[in-house]
Amino acid sequence: MAQIRIARRVLTECIAAMAFPILLLSILVAPVSAPVVAETDRSRARWCGVETMPLKPSDHSWAQWVVLRLRSRSMWRTDLPAFVTAVLLSALSLLVAFFGFIGAAALVFSPVFWLFGIAAQVGPFTPESVGETLLAMPAGIVLGAVTITVLTGASFLRDFLLRAFSGSRDPDLLAKLEELRTSRASLTAAFEFERQRIERDLHDGAQQELVAVVMRLGMLEATATAAGAAADQERIVRLARQAQDHAERALERLRDTVRDIHPRELSDLGLIAAVRELAARSPLRVELTSTGDDAQISSPTATAVYFTVSEALTNISKHAGVGSARIDLRCATTDVHVRVHDDGVGGARIDTGSGLAGLRERMRSVGGNLEIISPSDGGTLVVASAPSQPPW
């Protein structure tokens, strides 16, 4: 195993040496190239057996991530120093690998060159006889070993500086962070499973019982109507109709409760159909634009986006002071984006403990994000995005 890691380190240093011209040119666009080079160096360190944490999320493209890193202060104290280190050590590796391996090869094959009448000169040494070429062979082996050692040391130096620029990495803290990430994912999955279970139980249990009550009350009304025209009969019919009305209202509320827990349209028809149904039931005039295919969107992501749209429409009807809204829903195989816009009073904020704050946490739990753009002079834009599959 140790030999494999040494071989990997020497190989990566040789690759870094060959990539030096590219790194040199990338200095011209250093702020943009620094995050890419630093993240590549973190990947190199992991391949060489060093525990390093990747900073680029799996659901972000390189372009998106670089833009985010350029807005972060940590790029200047982490990625930029790592980039400078990579350039300098790549230059060192280029010199060591070029002269070391070429010189070692020249010394080892010095007798072969001598047979063709070539005196292979390595630095100040030039063989003058066959004996000297034979003595040069072990010197070439030693030079090759020294070159490998220096390249390995350069690789370790990269790791040391990378960790130094990235700050201290407490193993216990990292373990707790991983535990928290796993716990958060498990909690989200458990909530999703529980919502679907409640929806199934209510649909197959209490809702069916209420349907039976409505049917029996209807039969009671029909029987009482056919029994005669006595005064008590009129009372029975009136009470039966009242009971039926109450049961129907209870059934309708139960259906609303089931829909709020986990809308059946979302499970049966998908996100686009569920949002379309949500827009149709809204008291607002909703203009819905949907593109793409929602077949690849996971249930936790679809649920988070659905309730984000639902809460946004509810807030518009309660606080915006307008009667219309626009929804732009874009689904793809890798992610989903939704924008809910109104021309109301504006001034909406994500406050701690508010419904919007809860929605933002819901989006973050599936690897997404929620942003509110609501200037005080009017209009509110709710922007939510998430990967199709949560990153857990």
Side-chain angles (χ1 to χ4, degrees):
M1 182 63 68
Q3 292 82 353
I4 294 177
R5 290 184 177 179
I6 293 298
R8 287 182 175 181
R9 290 186 177 278
V10 174
L11 177 61
T12 53
E13 288 303 316
C14 291
I15 294 174
M18 291 185 290
F20 175 72
I22 300 176
L23 291 176
L24 202 59
L25 290 176
S26 66
I27 295 177
L28 300 175
V29 288
V32 176
S33 59
V36 177
V37 173
E39 187 68 8
T40 303
D41 200 28
R42 284 186 280 269
S43 299
R44 174 208 60 81
R46 287 194 299 275
W47 193 61
C48 292
V50 179
E51 293 185 5
T52 57
M53 295 180 62
L55 299 184
K56 176 183 171 295
S58 58
D59 59 299
H60 282 50
S61 67
W62 280 101
Q64 291 175 326
W65 181 69
V66 168
V67 171
L68 292 176
R69 289 297 291 172
L70 290 176
R71 299 175 182 174
S72 173
R73 294 181 180 178
S74 61
M75 193 279 290
W76 303 100
R77 65 172 181 266
T78 301
D79 293 347
L80 195 59
F83 171 72
V84 174
T85 299
V87 173
L88 296 178
L89 289 181
S90 295
L92 173 64
S93 296
L94 176 61
L95 294 175
V96 172
F98 182 80
F99 291 105
F101 285 134
I102 290 181
L107 291 174
V108 170
F109 293 101
S110 182
V112 178
F113 294 146
W114 185 267
L115 292 177
F116 289 94
I118 301 173
Q121 182 179 0
V122 178
F125 172 74
T126 303
E128 300 292 342
S129 64
V130 176
E132 291 184 358
T133 60
L134 295 176
L135 292 175
M137 293 178 64
I141 296 175
V142 172
L143 179 58
V146 171
T147 302
I148 292 175
T149 301
V150 173
L151 291 177
T152 304
S155 179
F156 279 111
L157 181 58
R158 285 180 189 268
D159 297 339
F160 173 78
L161 294 176
L162 184 64
R163 285 194 297 266
F165 296 141
S166 300
S168 61
R169 298 294 187 183
D170 187 349
D172 294 335
L173 182 60
L174 293 177
K176 291 180 181 178
L177 179 61
E178 183 62 28
E179 181 181 354
L180 178 61
R181 184 183 293 112
T182 303
S183 175
R184 185 180 182 183
S186 302
L187 186 61
T188 302
F191 280 168
E192 180 67 20
F193 176 82
E194 187 66 12
R195 279 192 294 267
Q196 295 188 17
R197 184 193 66 80
I198 294 174
E199 182 269 338
R200 184 173 58 252
D201 292 346
L202 289 176
H203 181 272
D204 298 338
Q207 184 169 314
Q208 297 300 325
E209 293 294 333
L210 281 177
V211 171
V213 170
V214 172
M215 294 177 61
R216 282 174 172 78
L217 288 175
M219 295 171 60
L220 174 61
E221 178 185 0
T223 302
T225 303
D232 289 343
Q233 175 187 341
E234 295 179 359
R235 184 169 179 273
I236 291 174
V237 172
R238 184 175 68 255
L239 292 176
R241 287 176 177 172
Q242 291 175 354
Q244 184 176 4
D245 291 340
H246 282 296
E248 288 177 347
R249 285 196 296 269
L251 179 59
E252 184 62 30
R253 291 179 180 178
L254 182 58
R255 285 171 177 165
D256 291 339
T257 302
V258 171
R259 185 180 293 111
D260 290 339
I261 294 173
H262 190 87
R264 178 158 288 274
E265 297 89 354
L266 193 59
S267 301
D268 296 344
L269 304 177
L271 176 61
I272 295 177
V275 172
R276 186 177 293 114
E277 176 67 20
L278 183 64
R281 289 189 287 105
S282 174
L284 302 168
R285 297 187 307 275
V286 180
E287 178 185 346
L288 172 62
T289 302
S290 60
T291 58
D293 183 11
D294 58 7
Q296 301 298 322
I297 300 176
S298 64
S299 179
T301 298
T303 302
V305 173
Y306 174 87
F307 281 106
T308 296
V309 176
S310 177
E311 181 71 14
L313 292 178
T314 300
N315 288 341
I316 293 173
S317 62
K318 288 182 178 180
H319 309 296
V322 293
S324 62
R326 296 188 299 276
I327 301 175
D328 179 19
L329 177 62
R330 295 187 291 111
C331 301
T333 57
T334 57
D335 53 19
V336 56
H337 298 265
V338 64
R339 298 162 64 94
V340 183
H341 185 263
D342 69 82
D343 297 320
V345 296
R349 296 291 182 270
I350 301 180
D351 299 323
T352 303
S354 64
L356 289 176
L359 288 177
R360 182 171 61 181
E361 287 304 312
R362 183 195 289 265
M363 293 301 301
R364 288 178 175 176
S365 69
V366 295
N369 193 27
L370 178 71
E371 183 180 2
I372 305 294
I373 304 174
S374 185
S376 57
D377 56 352
T380 298
L381 176 62
V382 178
V383 182
S385 61
S388 298
Q389 299 295 327
W392 35 264

